[in-house]
Amino acid sequence: MKRKIMVVIINRANYARIKSVLIAIKNHKDLELRIVVGASMLLPRFGEAVNIMLKDGFVIDEEIRITLEGENPITMAKSTGIGLLELPTLLDNHRPDAVITIADRYETLATAVAASYMNIPLVHTQGGETSGSIDHNVRNAITKLAHIHLVTNAKCASRLKKMGENPKRIFITGCPSMDIASKVGSQPDSYIKDYIKNHNFPVDTNQPFLLVVQHPVTTEYQDASFQIGETMKALIKLKMPVIALYPNVDAGSYHMVKKIQHLGVEKLPLFYFYKNFPPEVFLALLKKCSCIVGNSSAGIRESSFYGTPSVTIGSRQRTRDRAGNVTEVGHSAGAIQKAIQKQLGHVRYSPSHLYGDGKAGKRIAEILSKCSLDIVK
Amino acid sequence: MKRKIMVVIINRANYARIKSVLIAIKNHKDLELRIVVGASMLLPRFGEAVNIMLKDGFVIDEEIRITLEGENPITMAKSTGIGLLELPTLLDNHRPDAVITIADRYETLATAVAASYMNIPLVHTQGGETSGSIDHNVRNAITKLAHIHLVTNAKCASRLKKMGENPKRIFITGCPSMDIASKVGSQPDSYIKDYIKNHNFPVDTNQPFLLVVQHPVTTEYQDASFQIGETMKALIKLKMPVIALYPNVDAGSYHMVKKIQHLGVEKLPLFYFYKNFPPEVFLALLKKCSCIVGNSSAGIRESSFYGTPSVTIGSRQRTRDRAGNVTEVGHSAGAIQKAIQKQLGHVRYSPSHLYGDGKAGKRIAEILSKCSLDIVK
Amino acid sequence: MKRKIMVVIINRANYARIKSVLIAIKNHKDLELRIVVGASMLLPRFGEAVNIMLKDGFVIDEEIRITLEGENPITMAKSTGIGLLELPTLLDNHRPDAVITIADRYETLATAVAASYMNIPLVHTQGGETSGSIDHNVRNAITKLAHIHLVTNAKCASRLKKMGENPKRIFITGCPSMDIASKVGSQPDSYIKDYIKNHNFPVDTNQPFLLVVQHPVTTEYQDASFQIGETMKALIKLKMPVIALYPNVDAGSYHMVKKIQHLGVEKLPLFYFYKNFPPEVFLALLKKCSCIVGNSSAGIRESSFYGTPSVTIGSRQRTRDRAGNVTEVGHSAGAIQKAIQKQLGHVRYSPSHLYGDGKAGKRIAEILSKCSLDIVK
Amino acid sequence: MKRKIMVVIINRANYARIKSVLIAIKNHKDLELRIVVGASMLLPRFGEAVNIMLKDGFVIDEEIRITLEGENPITMAKSTGIGLLELPTLLDNHRPDAVITIADRYETLATAVAASYMNIPLVHTQGGETSGSIDHNVRNAITKLAHIHLVTNAKCASRLKKMGENPKRIFITGCPSMDIASKVGSQPDSYIKDYIKNHNFPVDTNQPFLLVVQHPVTTEYQDASFQIGETMKALIKLKMPVIALYPNVDAGSYHMVKKIQHLGVEKLPLFYFYKNFPPEVFLALLKKCSCIVGNSSAGIRESSFYGTPSVTIGSRQRTRDRAGNVTEVGHSAGAIQKAIQKQLGHVRYSPSHLYGDGKAGKRIAEILSKCSLDIVK
């Protein structure tokens, strides 16, 4: 009998970091795929990222609507609660042999807790990585609930062992997003060309441009507006094309967007804001941009695969393992501007496999088809 | 300004293990106490344990009703979700300087997650202890969310350090339940005498008797009925007085109670079932009983303080650190009977301070009045 | 294409009052049946009434667990909220052509509100009936949300018209419970004989006995304990066999059960308490008993079909249309005792079709297969 | 002892329609005011309308966050459920003598159900009015739950009586929004001047302009985008200044906003979109505009007080009682354009007191201080 693997995807970044696994599970003779999509994946304000999955040919088995509007600490905590009211019903109806949860967000935590109390084996990706904000603690909490750990490298594996996880339950697979990264050629492929054509994409990606992704730091919720303001001021002075993603649905997002609007940045020439990109488009942009700026983990993880210069701002990625392409800087417009200018002057960094070699998807499907799924750790 | 400490108590066993801390916070000049009571503490079926707290003179600041009826894996997971819908409002209204959460239950986890996303420092007791069932994983998950760890002994402290917790945030205090344990004299004091008198307590506690506390094992949910059945059959054969507590509000409880009823145990002479005891009464019984039988952590933790012989059944307490007074046995009536008989023949074990020296309450209040409450670990 | 009819059943009394409709929908060539079962139907404490449905051969499509434990006004209101979190997902997944909701409970209201906002035609039974307690208001509120009204008699139809409901949407069908009532013979049939045999039923139903069903009155929540006490005292004095059902899962139930236990009634000879009966067994008992006592609507509705003497206590059924078999009495042991004695002395009342002629099921299926299901009233 | 009156305000339009009552309760010697604010009143996307209340000097006692993001039928139904999880706690903590709920939205219904099961007298405004969409049914359902009805005119009172409501519980008070309407002078007062000055209001309100408020019709959810498109096309052709409010947080809103953006209307000269106005500013605009266009009840209710020409589109206000100033039209750009042009050519209509005489606030406070608050209707 095939093992039924349920994957819960609740954030646009989740999708890029699990897509190759979805494909590999779908194609594996001993596995059966179930997809649950929820939270901001379903929200128009975040570009209804579920549509990208549908275009990619995936069947969505269940949708969960759990995002309490407000984007503050209270609504983040309560949305986790709503997730915990929704997920047990799905888990009970589908009775998967294992559930995959990705990374470190509150929606991820809801999946982990629901599977735990439902006695369903929990598979977690990105365990053992380190970062700032509440995400770091949540990632570790999920590790302690998870039964199978799919980690990016030996360093992460070793951290999990130190935390007391059974080595037999830890698998070094690399991050699945590197699978997509490895397939993005130096020239945009037809998928991306089509995307660009259909979306009247205004930036010539063969000319220098910046890619900007900055999220609020939950533990510094009060400073979100100030923080994005400093970044925007630095970018305005640099006078080069900027492709920016709006922030995640976290406490502080609204205040960031309001600040961006208040500074009038959206209407400036050279500035182009997006809600969302298909993974392949985002990675092509990351590959071709002159520098990635902000505090997304992509500025450390995926950028390392290409050696793209990165300016990482503030505490959100503090302590995250990095290759040589990253410069850290505080929340000051002047310092950010200087750091970007320095990176622009630097020669391209050499690519690194710190976060994966591009073959995670099949590896993971193979592991899931064979590993012990005992719920007693 | 006084630090406002909120304590969330959601289970009868919680109360015994925090009561001396509540008193010490209340009496500390630099601290202010806020008490939230919820879940089975408010349920008639579990003896409305909140009444014991009220009789003890505590003011209850907030009540939360989060127990979805059913006692199965789905309702446990969903009840955690309801807790996460209730707690953020309370935390926002009271804005405590720190929140204390106790041990390892699902209601405990709800408190931990709510405080985390609300950026309120989380204080956790019993971190670093080990056990079986889902409780073990949940305890560790809470550890990774907690900012201050109040642990029972050096072994627990060392485990937390290995898990990557900052030594400056770990305090060896002993378990507060030993504070109460240390005050229970060899003769019942007036509090207990009164209790016994008022409740027509039928057992002569100066004669040999057994104390039985057995809960379902969440990860072995399907076997709950069989497991309690074996224990009951063993007890019936022993023909000595049995004081038993009904199980916790966990997946499997209902099936246990049904089995007990089906076997007709409640109506047997010598068998006395209770929903609940005030901490002092429970500990007096634990001190005087010939042997504690079942899978409650009290059979390992508090029993060690007195050297009371203990027969611990099944996997629920597996790996929990223990003194010399514990015998482990599987779920087989014959084996359980034999193990109890052997313990009855044994001389009293020597008391141990493995779980605390009886001075935790004041120690903890002092720590809470002074420790750093930085939310960035 | 067949019309898909979803029926939401959330209470043991619901089942008796819809069973013949379920059968008729199942057998109708143009209809397809979907069954949702929830709330106390799934709770062991209420006899897991869902098992009776399974034995009757029905397939349960969805289960919802919505009962917040506590049985007080807060948990009733919140349980309605949990129902409203669960039901929209089911309605969205199944996309029924119409949803049937039964009578006047809080779980019923959750179904009505969910269907309304989901733009799914709502079919309501028992509209236009009158009673006391909050049930009366809730029944009318559901009427104002419902699109199709299946009423018991012309009086109810006329009340709905006065309330502004479109006569084309009102159908006089009789109550489906009379369909079962009409098939219960004067001698227990094999189904009931079997039931009695399997359950060691202790009462000789060919000798005089009383049938007692008393629920808390939500609007008189504080008096629940006193109210049941008076009834019990009256029954004790009468010294004849009593078959009693435990009360519904409403605010006040717990206090009623506690009072019953406090009075020691459960252990008295002649008193037999049950959680639940299959509809056929309950109706056979109602047919054969000397008198039905309490405040269940069965004491007015179904009893009229048989002409069974009824003593209806307190305000819960006040204003409900009745045949000649009902005596009303207040919450006083003496008055209740006298009223019962008087009814015992009375000759059998003549049967009435006030609540239906026993042919509702097929009539309703036929209506549902053809009526307009326009959601704009 | 003062009667404690709790008012639950969960929508920007709610505030205008209860503000004078809040003031009158606050100033009444026998009443005490409690204010709960929630749903879109707290959402940045809807202009955080709570800030207007704070500026007006009101103390907010409680905030509830209940809006599940998505703006579709599922999230509307589930948001009602979240409201039902939040409100009972507040009602239990404050124990008001009565709760006021306003009009006909899903958040309103949550208040009505919570108060009903908590046995707290429910006071409802706008009962007996008629309209299209689900609002009509919900308004009537609330009527059947409410204990005190504060209605706008004798017609409404008579409808409630026909529906079976007790005449002693029905009070004709007029709508409180007319109290504010009556105080808005022909010239903007300083409050409005200030508002205009602070907000760089771009329209000269002494020149002809249109006021546009169009919401989705829940029961025509699928057509929301088409419907607003037709209106916008008509407005574009008219080439006169348009002041428009974004739609309510209902199923379909997002698609309306997307359509507005897709048509590029927000960037057109002459078009000015707002999230929100203080009641006085909105009413001044309504008084001075050449015509109000859309499907807001303000286009029928408040507009009648001034005799402002109104073009009411589609089914949302169908059947609502109206004065002579209203023209109805379907969802067709051509028809809408013609209807507006015809209204622009019409002389000003004579004012009407159909919805109130401007003295509702004090009247209502007086009623609440004296009326019977018996919960048994």
Side-chain angles (χ1 to χ4, degrees), chain B residues 262-294:
Chain B
H262 187 75
L263 292 171
V265 189
E266 292 165 312
K267 291 173 192 154
L268 290 179
L270 295 179
F271 278 80
Y272 306 97
F273 282 84
Y274 290 84
K275 293 175 175 177
N276 205 350
F277 289 112
E280 288 77 3
V281 174
F282 180 75
L283 287 165
L285 293 171
L286 179 57
K287 185 171 188 179
K288 298 180 73 85
C289 71
S290 311
C291 182
I292 175 166
V293 176

Side-chain angles (χ1 to χ4, degrees), chain A residues 43-46 48 65-72 74-75 78 82 85-86 249 254-255 258 275, chain D residues 43-46 48 65-70 72 74-75 78 82 85-86 249 254-255 258 275:
Chain A
L43 294 180
R45 236 174 8 114
F46 293 86
E48 275 180 327
R65 291 152 198 289
I66 66 173
T67 311
L68 206 53
E69 196 162 340
E71 290 178 335
N72 55 48
I74 299 175
T75 57
K78 293 201 180 214
I82 298 171
L85 283 167
E86 296 283 320
V249 61
Y254 174 76
H255 297 289
K258 210 165 157 181
K275 290 174 176 177
Chain D
L43 294 180
R45 234 172 12 111
F46 293 86
E48 275 178 328
R65 292 153 196 290
I66 66 172
T67 312
L68 206 54
E69 195 163 340
N72 55 49
I74 299 175
T75 57
K78 292 200 179 214
I82 299 171
L85 282 167
E86 296 283 321
V249 62
Y254 174 75
H255 297 291
K258 210 165 156 180
K275 291 174 177 177

Side-chain angles (χ1 to χ4, degrees), chain B residues 43-46 48 65-70 72 74-75 78 82 85-86 249 254-255 258 275, chain C residues 43-46 48 65-72 74-75 78 82 85-86 249 254-255 258 275:
Chain B
L43 294 179
R45 237 177 2 116
F46 294 86
E48 276 179 328
R65 291 152 197 289
I66 66 174
T67 311
L68 205 54
E69 195 162 340
N72 56 49
I74 299 175
T75 57
K78 293 200 180 214
I82 298 171
L85 282 166
E86 296 284 320
V249 60
Y254 175 74
H255 297 290
K258 211 164 156 181
K275 293 175 175 177
Chain C
L43 294 181
R45 232 169 16 110
F46 294 86
E48 276 180 327
R65 290 153 198 290
I66 66 174
T67 311
L68 205 54
E69 196 163 340
E71 292 178 332
N72 55 49
I74 299 175
T75 57
K78 293 201 179 213
I82 298 171
L85 282 166
E86 296 284 320
V249 60
Y254 175 75
H255 297 289
K258 211 164 156 181
K275 292 174 174 178

